[in-house]
Amino acid sequence: ALANDVLRSADAGGRVARGGMIRGGGYIVGVGMGFATSILLLRYLGVADYGRYGTVAALMGLVLGITDGGMTAIHGAETPAMLEAFDFSGIGTFADVGGGNGSLLTSVLQKYPAMKGILFDLGHVIERATANLQKAGLSDRCEVREGSFFEAFPEGADAYLMRHIIHDWDDQQSIQILKNCRAVIPPHGRLFIVEAVVPAGNEPSPAKEFDMAMLIYPGGMERTEAEYRSLFAAAGFELVGVTPTASPVSVVEGRPV
């Protein structure tokens, strides 16, 4: 936390230094390290004959399934906290962008039975999401669409939510993602960013710990309310509220301007 406070109290040069560590091949290195770590995890879990999967793609399919479960275990408690703190009623179609295995969208649609959903993620993810939504009995209320948020957002939603997406990326990349959302969101639309918001001041906070973790891997950052306000403005949104939850995350809401 102390190192993070030093970074956050630095001048503009300190911010540039912080940003300069963001990419430059770090993503590729990170993927490689993640794969190697996954091999160790498989060994720990007793999957000693992982070579039988034949190809890296097949093995990664297994690893990604384990990752899905891990992410749900880590972040799963955030979903009921979010639904308790924030009222999503009145939304006709709700899009979860980068929605992963569909666990968050499933909970939202189960709480709001009149709502329809769109789950948007990469091709290697949506197969698992489709199966999970079918198992939850939501296939008739939820579309699953393939794509990358760096290229375009799915059209047709009244609200777009991203949880633990923007914190992965630097400001330039985050603004591009948000601009892609701005290109399709209707005038009445609502944008929800669910992240740990860094509080002002120098008191300890889980968000500051997360900020350091994101800086190191994958090279993103947690942000203050003021930093989110600036990101939103650069992409054509106005920040209209930050709603804390009983978990480390808050719901940061934006409206198109």
Side-chain angles (χ1 to χ4, degrees), residues 206-226:
K208 295 180 180 181
E209 303 292 341
F210 298 157
D211 188 29
M212 288 298 294
M214 298 311 299
L215 171 63
I216 296 167
Y217 176 84
M221 65 180 79
E222 306 295 352
R223 292 174 169 87
T224 65
E225 179 177 340

Side-chain angles (χ1 to χ4, degrees), residues 44-91:
Y44 175 78
L45 293 175
V47 187
D49 58 340
Y50 50 83
R52 68 186 171 88
Y53 289 91
T55 66
V56 170
L59 180 55
M60 284 306 292
L62 175 63
V63 170
L64 290 170
I66 296 173
T67 301
D68 274 351
M71 290 298 99
T72 301
I74 293 169
H75 299 299
E78 296 171 358
T79 302
M82 179 190 76
L83 291 173
E84 178 67 25
F86 198 90
D87 182 7
F88 292 100
S89 61
I91 295 171

Side-chain angles (χ1 to χ4, degrees), residues 19-50:
M21 298 174 64
I22 286 173
R23 290 291 165 184
Y27 181 75
I28 301 301
V29 172
V31 170
M33 291 177 64
F35 184 76
T37 303
S38 298
I39 295 297
L40 296 176
L41 175 61
L42 292 174
R43 288 178 175 174
Y44 175 78
L45 293 175
V47 187
D49 58 340
Y50 50 83

Side-chain angles (χ1 to χ4, degrees), residues 16 109 199 232:
V16 171
L109 295 180
F232 280 22

Side-chain angles (χ1 to χ4, degrees), residues 138-201:
L138 294 170
S139 299
D140 60 334
R141 291 173 51 205
C142 185
E143 297 179 56
V144 178
R145 301 188 197 173
E146 177 180 350
S148 166
F149 47 63
F150 277 117
E151 297 172 0
F153 269 52
E155 297 183 4
D158 303 296
Y160 292 83
L161 178 143
M162 288 180 280
R163 181 172 73 175
H164 298 314
I165 300 295
I166 294 299
H167 78 165
D168 286 341
W169 309 101
D170 65 27
D171 286 351
Q172 182 178 0
Q173 293 163 319
S174 297
I175 290 169
Q176 182 58 56
I177 295 169
L178 293 172
K179 283 184 174 179
N180 289 342
C181 181
R182 182 65 182 86
V184 302
I185 195 169
H188 66 274
R190 302 167 72 182
L191 168 66
F192 303 114
I193 303 297
V194 181
E195 299 282 9
V197 176
V198 178

